[in-house]
Amino acid sequence: MRNPYNPRQVTEVSLKPENVDCIVFWTKNPCRSVIPGEPAFVERLSWLDDRGYKYYFQFTVTSYNQVIEPAVPRKKEIIAGFRNLSQKLGPHRLVWRYDPVIFTPEYTACYHKKYFAYLAEVFAGFTDTCVISFVDAYPAIQSRMNRYGIYVPPEETLLETAAFMAECGRRNGITVTACCEKSEFRQTGVLPARCIDPDRIKLVTGRDFVLKPAKGQRSGCCYAESVDIGTYGTCTNGCIYCYADRRKNSVPVCDPESPLLGSRLMPEDKVYRK
């Protein structure tokens, strides 16, 4: 993994089965092929199963069109992919993410309530948990937010929207949780999210072990200690609200022979073992 703030610093992490407790995948479309002409990601899961890896998914399904999420397939395709993956893995291994929740003149609180209610019914029985979060005005995306009319509404709007989502979840057997939101959200029935969730990891792995809280995360984050092997700028979905998309109109390197995501190891790199 290349350090995004010190590009010459590279950390090596072992992915040998005996060194991996559980893998948590974040995705908007696991049915897509990473390399054109190759099998889709979900078609490769048997490779992990055969080697004894345990894993679950954080699967994002939002309400936005392709102006906001340019390269994400049509919602019908994504919804079908979600349900099919749940049938393959089980609802406990698929967490639905409806985030970030953005507000524009088109995407109002009423709009989100309508679409969230629809998705909650569609996903009833296919997942047990939904994670929501309201978009943050990161400096890196502020100009994009202004360009697309994205704004942060009054807090009472956020709380009322969250309460509606929590009730929709309850009606459909889905616990709604919030990622790094204020403690006031608990009064709406929305619980704090744990994206790296010790209880879910125990359920998925069948092992009873203790995971420490992660260090250095944002306030309100309930992550368990883990190693993030993702890399900024390697996703091609082009979502306008994404703070991790730092590319300047370039396509990330995708070299199956490289030990790095989005780049290659160079002679001047300093490699440290985790």
Side-chain angles (χ1 to χ4, degrees):
M1 306 172 309
R2 193 176 297 282
N3 186 329
Y5 304 103
N6 182 4
R8 295 277 69 88
Q9 181 180 313
V10 176
T11 303
E12 178 185 343
V13 177
S14 170
L15 294 181
K16 293 179 180 180
E18 62 268 25
N19 295 330
V20 177
D21 294 314
C22 186
I23 302 172
V24 183
F25 293 111
W26 261 256
T27 185
K28 282 186 170 73
N29 182 21
C31 301
R32 172 183 291 173
S33 174
V34 178
I35 302 172
E38 294 289 327
F41 181 75
V42 292
E43 296 171 3
R44 295 172 174 265
L45 294 178
S46 59
W47 190 95
L48 296 176
D49 298 331
D50 293 344
R51 288 157 179 78
Y53 289 99
K54 305 297 182 182
Y55 55 90
Y56 69 93
F57 282 81
Q58 299 267 346
F59 194 138
T60 299
V61 185
T62 57
S63 61
Y64 309 122
N65 61 26
Q66 291 181 308
V67 172
I68 304 297
E69 298 176 337
V72 176
R74 301 293 181 182
K75 297 305 176 186
K76 286 185 178 180
E77 181 181 338
I78 297 297
I79 290 169
F82 187 104
R83 288 162 62 105
N84 290 339
L85 187 58
S86 175
Q87 289 175 328
K88 178 181 176 67
L89 302 180
H92 66 293
R93 293 172 68 185
L94 211 58
V95 176
W96 167 35
R97 298 189 71 94
Y98 188 87
D99 82 307
V101 180
I102 65 172
F103 291 86
T104 71
E106 178 181 2
Y107 297 111
T108 62
C110 289
Y111 178 94
H112 282 297
K113 289 176 184 178
K114 179 180 178 180
Y115 207 96
F116 187 90
Y118 164 72
L119 287 176
E121 291 182 5
V122 167
F123 291 151
F126 292 91
T127 184
D128 57 24
T129 302
C130 176
V131 178
I132 64 170
S133 69
F134 295 98
V135 71
D136 290 310
Y138 293 107
I141 63 168
Q142 187 63 61
S143 62
R144 273 184 267 160
M145 291 179 64
N146 295 340
R147 192 181 319 136
Y148 289 91
I150 299 173
Y151 65 92
V152 178
E155 185 165 310
E156 54 266 29
T157 300
L158 301 182
L159 292 173
E160 198 251 336
T161 303
F164 177 89
M165 292 176 171
E167 178 56 30
C168 277
R170 280 192 292 271
R171 289 200 304 266
N172 292 282
I174 300 171
T175 299
V176 177
T177 63
C179 183
C180 294
E181 297 294 351
K182 298 177 181 178
S183 59
E184 288 84 349
F185 274 76
R186 296 196 182 197
Q187 72 191 38
T188 68
V190 175
L191 302 176
R194 297 193 297 178
C195 302
I196 307 297
D197 184 348
D199 292 337
R200 192 172 301 275
I201 291 173
K202 291 177 185 179
L203 183 62
V204 169
T205 63
R207 294 172 52 198
D208 188 16
F209 50 83
V210 177
L211 295 175
K212 301 176 183 178
K215 299 177 181 178
Q217 299 296 325
R218 291 181 292 163
S219 175
C221 179
C222 299
Y223 249 59
E225 190 174 41
S226 57
V227 178
D228 184 354
I229 61 172
T231 300
Y232 287 160
T234 54
C235 176
T236 58
N237 284 322
C239 302
I240 60 97
Y241 50 72
C242 181
Y243 64 86
D245 187 356
R246 301 180 176 184
R247 291 176 291 116
K248 300 297 183 182
N249 300 317
S250 61
V251 178
V253 175
C254 185
D255 181 359
E257 301 302 320
S258 174
L260 289 159
L261 288 173
S263 64
R264 299 180 179 89
L265 204 59
M266 306 300 289
E268 59 268 29
D269 290 336
K270 295 182 179 180
V271 181
Y272 302 87
R273 183 165 294 173
K274 187 80 172 177

